[in-house]
PDB file of all heavy atoms in Angstrom:
ATOM      1  N   ILE A   1      84.943 101.061 105.952  1.00  0.00           N
ATOM      2  CA  ILE A   1      84.315 100.578 107.172  1.00  0.00           C
ATOM      3  C   ILE A   1      83.575  99.288 106.835  1.00  0.00           C
ATOM      4  O   ILE A   1      82.827  99.223 105.855  1.00  0.00           O
ATOM      5  CB  ILE A   1      83.387 101.653 107.779  1.00  0.00           C
ATOM      6  CG1 ILE A   1      82.803 101.175 109.107  1.00  0.00           C
ATOM      7  CG2 ILE A   1      82.283 102.080 106.805  1.00  0.00           C
ATOM      8  CD1 ILE A   1      82.168 102.292 109.930  1.00  0.00           C
ATOM      9  N   THR A   2      83.799  98.276 107.665  1.00  0.00           N
ATOM     10  CA  THR A   2      83.176  96.978 107.420  1.00  0.00           C
ATOM     11  C   THR A   2      81.743  96.963 107.924  1.00  0.00           C
ATOM     12  O   THR A   2      81.264  97.918 108.549  1.00  0.00           O
ATOM     13  CB  THR A   2      83.953  95.864 108.121  1.00  0.00           C
ATOM     14  OG1 THR A   2      83.806  96.032 109.541  1.00  0.00           O
ATOM     15  CG2 THR A   2      85.429  95.897 107.759  1.00  0.00           C
ATOM     16  N   THR A   3      81.072  95.848 107.669  1.00  0.00           N
ATOM     17  CA  THR A   3      79.707  95.714 108.156  1.00  0.00           C
ATOM     18  C   THR A   3      79.661  95.731 109.676  1.00  0.00           C
ATOM     19  O   THR A   3      78.667  96.158 110.265  1.00  0.00           O
ATOM     20  CB  THR A   3      79.085  94.417 107.640  1.00  0.00           C
ATOM     21  OG1 THR A   3      79.904  93.305 108.038  1.00  0.00           O
ATOM     22  CG2 THR A   3      78.986  94.427 106.100  1.00  0.00           C
ATOM     23  N   GLY A   4      80.735  95.322 110.311  1.00  0.00           N
ATOM     24  CA  GLY A   4      80.788  95.314 111.769  1.00  0.00           C
ATOM     25  C   GLY A   4      81.292  96.608 112.379  1.00  0.00           C
ATOM     26  O   GLY A   4      81.356  96.734 113.602  1.00  0.00           O
ATOM     27  N   GLY A   5      81.662  97.553 111.531  1.00  0.00           N
ATOM     28  CA  GLY A   5      82.088  98.855 112.031  1.00  0.00           C
ATOM     29  C   GLY A   5      83.583  99.038 112.159  1.00  0.00           C
ATOM     30  O   GLY A   5      84.041 100.084 112.633  1.00  0.00           O
ATOM     31  N   SER A   6      84.372  98.041 111.754  1.00  0.00           N
ATOM     32  CA  SER A   6      85.832  98.197 111.788  1.00  0.00           C
ATOM     33  C   SER A   6      86.269  99.118 110.655  1.00  0.00           C
ATOM     34  O   SER A   6      85.730  99.056 109.548  1.00  0.00           O
ATOM     35  CB  SER A   6      86.515  96.842 111.636  1.00  0.00           C
ATOM     36  OG  SER A   6      86.189  96.001 112.719  1.00  0.00           O
ATOM     37  N   THR A   7      87.257  99.943 110.958  1.00  0.00           N
ATOM     38  CA  THR A   7      87.711 100.919 109.978  1.00  0.00           C
ATOM     39  C   THR A   7      89.199 100.764 109.678  1.00  0.00           C
ATOM     40  O   THR A   7      89.963 100.230 110.497  1.00  0.00           O
ATOM     41  CB  THR A   7      87.469 102.354 110.471  1.00  0.00           C
ATOM     42  OG1 THR A   7      88.085 102.517 111.750  1.00  0.00           O
ATOM     43  CG2 THR A   7      85.979 102.655 110.593  1.00  0.00           C
ATOM     44  N   ASN A   8      89.575 101.213 108.521  1.00  0.00           N
ATOM     45  CA  ASN A   8      90.992 101.342 108.191  1.00  0.00           C
ATOM     46  C   ASN A   8      91.151 102.584 107.344  1.00  0.00           C
ATOM     47  O   ASN A   8      90.198 103.024 106.687  1.00  0.00           O
ATOM     48  CB  ASN A   8      91.530 100.102 107.468  1.00  0.00           C
ATOM     49  CG  ASN A   8      91.062 100.017 106.036  1.00  0.00           C
ATOM     50  OD1 ASN A   8      89.925  99.655 105.773  1.00  0.00           O
ATOM     51  ND2 ASN A   8      91.923 100.365 105.098  1.00  0.00           N
ATOM     52  N   TYR A   9      92.341 103.173 107.403  1.00  0.00           N
ATOM     53  CA  TYR A   9      92.594 104.450 106.758  1.00  0.00           C
ATOM     54  C   TYR A   9      93.938 104.458 106.032  1.00  0.00           C
ATOM     55  O   TYR A   9      94.876 103.779 106.424  1.00  0.00           O
ATOM     56  CB  TYR A   9      92.602 105.580 107.805  1.00  0.00           C
ATOM     57  CG  TYR A   9      91.325 105.700 108.582  1.00  0.00           C
ATOM     58  CD1 TYR A   9      91.168 105.069 109.812  1.00  0.00           C
ATOM     59  CD2 TYR A   9      90.255 106.436 108.085  1.00  0.00           C
ATOM     60  CE1 TYR A   9      89.983 105.162 110.525  1.00  0.00           C
ATOM     61  CE2 TYR A   9      89.069 106.543 108.791  1.00  0.00           C
ATOM     62  CZ  TYR A   9      88.940 105.903 110.007  1.00  0.00           C
ATOM     63  OH  TYR A   9      87.765 106.004 110.707  1.00  0.00           O
ATOM     64  N   ALA A  10      93.995 105.277 105.012  1.00  0.00           N
ATOM     65  CA  ALA A  10      95.276 105.540 104.373  1.00  0.00           C
ATOM     66  C   ALA A  10      96.170 106.283 105.359  1.00  0.00           C
ATOM     67  O   ALA A  10      95.681 107.061 106.192  1.00  0.00           O
ATOM     68  CB  ALA A  10      95.070 106.387 103.123  1.00  0.00           C
ATOM     69  N   ASP A  11      97.467 106.050 105.275  1.00  0.00           N
ATOM     70  CA  ASP A  11      98.393 106.699 106.208  1.00  0.00           C
ATOM     71  C   ASP A  11      98.282 108.217 106.151  1.00  0.00           C
ATOM     72  O   ASP A  11      98.448 108.898 107.165  1.00  0.00           O
ATOM     73  CB  ASP A  11      99.833 106.280 105.885  1.00  0.00           C
ATOM     74  CG  ASP A  11     100.118 104.842 106.280  1.00  0.00           C
ATOM     75  OD1 ASP A  11      99.336 104.262 107.070  1.00  0.00           O
ATOM     76  OD2 ASP A  11     101.121 104.276 105.799  1.00  0.00           O
ATOM     77  N   SER A  12      97.986 108.742 104.979  1.00  0.00           N
ATOM     78  CA  SER A  12      97.953 110.192 104.802  1.00  0.00           C
ATOM     79  C   SER A  12      96.807 110.873 105.554  1.00  0.00           C
ATOM     80  O   SER A  12      96.844 112.095 105.750  1.00  0.00           O
ATOM     81  CB  SER A  12      97.851 110.534 103.316  1.00  0.00           C
ATOM     82  OG  SER A  12      96.682 109.961 102.754  1.00  0.00           O
ATOM     83  N   VAL A  13      95.819 110.101 105.961  1.00  0.00           N
ATOM     84  CA  VAL A  13      94.658 110.705 106.651  1.00  0.00           C
ATOM     85  C   VAL A  13      94.466 110.189 108.072  1.00  0.00           C
ATOM     86  O   VAL A  13      93.584 110.672 108.783  1.00  0.00           O
ATOM     87  CB  VAL A  13      93.358 110.499 105.844  1.00  0.00           C
ATOM     88  CG1 VAL A  13      93.519 111.000 104.416  1.00  0.00           C
ATOM     89  CG2 VAL A  13      92.896 109.058 105.871  1.00  0.00           C
ATOM     90  N   LYS A  14      95.275 109.228 108.486  1.00  0.00           N
ATOM     91  CA  LYS A  14      95.129 108.680 109.835  1.00  0.00           C
ATOM     92  C   LYS A  14      95.246 109.759 110.880  1.00  0.00           C
ATOM     93  O   LYS A  14      96.126 110.612 110.821  1.00  0.00           O
ATOM     94  CB  LYS A  14      96.196 107.603 110.088  1.00  0.00           C
ATOM     95  CG  LYS A  14      95.841 106.237 109.548  1.00  0.00           C
ATOM     96  CD  LYS A  14      96.948 105.228 109.850  1.00  0.00           C
ATOM     97  CE  LYS A  14      96.620 103.875 109.232  1.00  0.00           C
ATOM     98  NZ  LYS A  14      97.729 102.912 109.414  1.00  0.00           N
ATOM     99  N   GLY A  15      94.340 109.727 111.834  1.00  0.00           N
ATOM    100  CA  GLY A  15      94.345 110.704 112.901  1.00  0.00           C
ATOM    101  C   GLY A  15      93.613 111.994 112.563  1.00  0.00           C
ATOM    102  O   GLY A  15      93.349 112.813 113.450  1.00  0.00           O
ATOM    103  N   ARG A  16      93.262 112.157 111.278  1.00  0.00           N
ATOM    104  CA  ARG A  16      92.540 113.368 110.870  1.00  0.00           C
ATOM    105  C   ARG A  16      91.141 113.056 110.350  1.00  0.00           C
ATOM    106  O   ARG A  16      90.222 113.869 110.523  1.00  0.00           O
ATOM    107  CB  ARG A  16      93.325 114.100 109.772  1.00  0.00           C
ATOM    108  CG  ARG A  16      94.710 114.547 110.173  1.00  0.00           C
ATOM    109  CD  ARG A  16      95.343 115.420 109.098  1.00  0.00           C
ATOM    110  NE  ARG A  16      95.520 114.732 107.813  1.00  0.00           N
ATOM    111  CZ  ARG A  16      95.001 115.155 106.664  1.00  0.00           C
ATOM    112  NH1 ARG A  16      94.262 116.253 106.623  1.00  0.00           N
ATOM    113  NH2 ARG A  16      95.222 114.464 105.546  1.00  0.00           N
ATOM    114  N   PHE A  17      90.978 111.904 109.720  1.00  0.00           N
ATOM    115  CA  PHE A  17      89.697 111.529 109.119  1.00  0.00           C
ATOM    116  C   PHE A  17      89.070 110.376 109.912  1.00  0.00           C
ATOM    117  O   PHE A  17      89.775 109.502 110.410  1.00  0.00           O
ATOM    118  CB  PHE A  17      89.872 111.076 107.675  1.00  0.00           C
ATOM    119  CG  PHE A  17      90.242 112.159 106.691  1.00  0.00           C
ATOM    120  CD1 PHE A  17      90.629 113.423 107.101  1.00  0.00           C
ATOM    121  CD2 PHE A  17      90.202 111.890 105.329  1.00  0.00           C
ATOM    122  CE1 PHE A  17      90.967 114.410 106.187  1.00  0.00           C
ATOM    123  CE2 PHE A  17      90.538 112.852 104.395  1.00  0.00           C
ATOM    124  CZ  PHE A  17      90.925 114.124 104.834  1.00  0.00           C
ATOM    125  N   THR A  18      87.746 110.384 109.974  1.00  0.00           N
ATOM    126  CA  THR A  18      87.008 109.316 110.655  1.00  0.00           C
ATOM    127  C   THR A  18      85.820 108.902 109.799  1.00  0.00           C
ATOM    128  O   THR A  18      85.045 109.749 109.344  1.00  0.00           O
ATOM    129  CB  THR A  18      86.504 109.783 112.024  1.00  0.00           C
ATOM    130  OG1 THR A  18      87.606 110.215 112.816  1.00  0.00           O
ATOM    131  CG2 THR A  18      85.783 108.650 112.742  1.00  0.00           C
ATOM    132  N   ILE A  19      85.705 107.600 109.598  1.00  0.00           N
ATOM    133  CA  ILE A  19      84.571 107.052 108.851  1.00  0.00           C
ATOM    134  C   ILE A  19      83.607 106.411 109.837  1.00  0.00           C
ATOM    135  O   ILE A  19      84.019 105.705 110.763  1.00  0.00           O
ATOM    136  CB  ILE A  19      85.039 106.000 107.829  1.00  0.00           C
ATOM    137  CG1 ILE A  19      85.948 106.639 106.784  1.00  0.00           C
ATOM    138  CG2 ILE A  19      83.847 105.340 107.146  1.00  0.00           C
ATOM    139  CD1 ILE A  19      86.568 105.642 105.825  1.00  0.00           C
ATOM    140  N   SER A  20      82.323 106.651 109.620  1.00  0.00           N
ATOM    141  CA  SER A  20      81.284 106.013 110.431  1.00  0.00           C
ATOM    142  C   SER A  20      80.107 105.673 109.520  1.00  0.00           C
ATOM    143  O   SER A  20      80.028 106.152 108.392  1.00  0.00           O
ATOM    144  CB  SER A  20      80.842 106.930 111.574  1.00  0.00           C
ATOM    145  OG  SER A  20      80.316 108.145 111.062  1.00  0.00           O
ATOM    146  N   ARG A  21      79.231 104.841 110.030  1.00  0.00           N
ATOM    147  CA  ARG A  21      78.060 104.476 109.246  1.00  0.00           C
ATOM    148  C   ARG A  21      76.830 104.403 110.136  1.00  0.00           C
ATOM    149  O   ARG A  21      76.946 104.081 111.330  1.00  0.00           O
ATOM    150  CB  ARG A  21      78.265 103.143 108.521  1.00  0.00           C
ATOM    151  CG  ARG A  21      78.411 101.930 109.419  1.00  0.00           C
ATOM    152  CD  ARG A  21      78.856 100.692 108.629  1.00  0.00           C
ATOM    153  NE  ARG A  21      77.891 100.283 107.621  1.00  0.00           N
ATOM    154  CZ  ARG A  21      78.184  99.484 106.609  1.00  0.00           C
ATOM    155  NH1 ARG A  21      79.420  99.016 106.455  1.00  0.00           N
ATOM    156  NH2 ARG A  21      77.235  99.126 105.742  1.00  0.00           N
ATOM    157  N   ASP A  22      75.684 104.684 109.539  1.00  0.00           N
ATOM    158  CA  ASP A  22      74.400 104.585 110.221  1.00  0.00           C
ATOM    159  C   ASP A  22      73.528 103.689 109.348  1.00  0.00           C
ATOM    160  O   ASP A  22      72.966 104.149 108.347  1.00  0.00           O
ATOM    161  CB  ASP A  22      73.782 105.967 110.398  1.00  0.00           C
ATOM    162  CG  ASP A  22      72.505 105.938 111.212  1.00  0.00           C
ATOM    163  OD1 ASP A  22      71.862 104.868 111.302  1.00  0.00           O
ATOM    164  OD2 ASP A  22      72.128 106.983 111.754  1.00  0.00           O
ATOM    165  N   ASN A  23      73.440 102.429 109.723  1.00  0.00           N
ATOM    166  CA  ASN A  23      72.700 101.479 108.892  1.00  0.00           C
ATOM    167  C   ASN A  23      71.204 101.791 108.852  1.00  0.00           C
ATOM    168  O   ASN A  23      70.528 101.486 107.879  1.00  0.00           O
ATOM    169  CB  ASN A  23      72.921 100.052 109.389  1.00  0.00           C
ATOM    170  CG  ASN A  23      74.333  99.555 109.111  1.00  0.00           C
ATOM    171  OD1 ASN A  23      75.040 100.065 108.227  1.00  0.00           O
ATOM    172  ND2 ASN A  23      74.766  98.556 109.869  1.00  0.00           N
ATOM    173  N   ALA A  24      70.694 102.419 109.895  1.00  0.00           N
ATOM    174  CA  ALA A  24      69.276 102.781 109.914  1.00  0.00           C
ATOM    175  C   ALA A  24      68.963 103.854 108.875  1.00  0.00           C
ATOM    176  O   ALA A  24      67.846 103.945 108.377  1.00  0.00           O
ATOM    177  CB  ALA A  24      68.868 103.260 111.298  1.00  0.00           C
ATOM    178  N   LYS A  25      69.978 104.664 108.561  1.00  0.00           N
ATOM    179  CA  LYS A  25      69.793 105.741 107.584  1.00  0.00           C
ATOM    180  C   LYS A  25      70.433 105.420 106.237  1.00  0.00           C
ATOM    181  O   LYS A  25      70.434 106.258 105.333  1.00  0.00           O
ATOM    182  CB  LYS A  25      70.383 107.052 108.127  1.00  0.00           C
ATOM    183  CG  LYS A  25      69.677 107.577 109.358  1.00  0.00           C
ATOM    184  CD  LYS A  25      70.267 108.914 109.801  1.00  0.00           C
ATOM    185  CE  LYS A  25      69.508 109.460 111.002  1.00  0.00           C
ATOM    186  NZ  LYS A  25      70.073 110.748 111.466  1.00  0.00           N
TER     187      LYS A  25
END
């Protein structure tokens, strides 16, 4: 996940895994 919140995933996990970030934490 980039600083702007854009994400990319390996094909093997697409649609099953989600990355997110909380900069405050």
Side-chain angles (χ1 to χ4, degrees):
I1 184 166
T2 68
T3 57
S6 297
T7 55
N8 74 283
Y9 301 94
D11 288 344
S12 59
V13 306
K14 277 180 183 175
R16 300 188 298 122
F17 290 11
T18 302
I19 297 174
S20 60
R21 65 190 297 162
D22 185 338
N23 289 338
K25 295 183 177 179

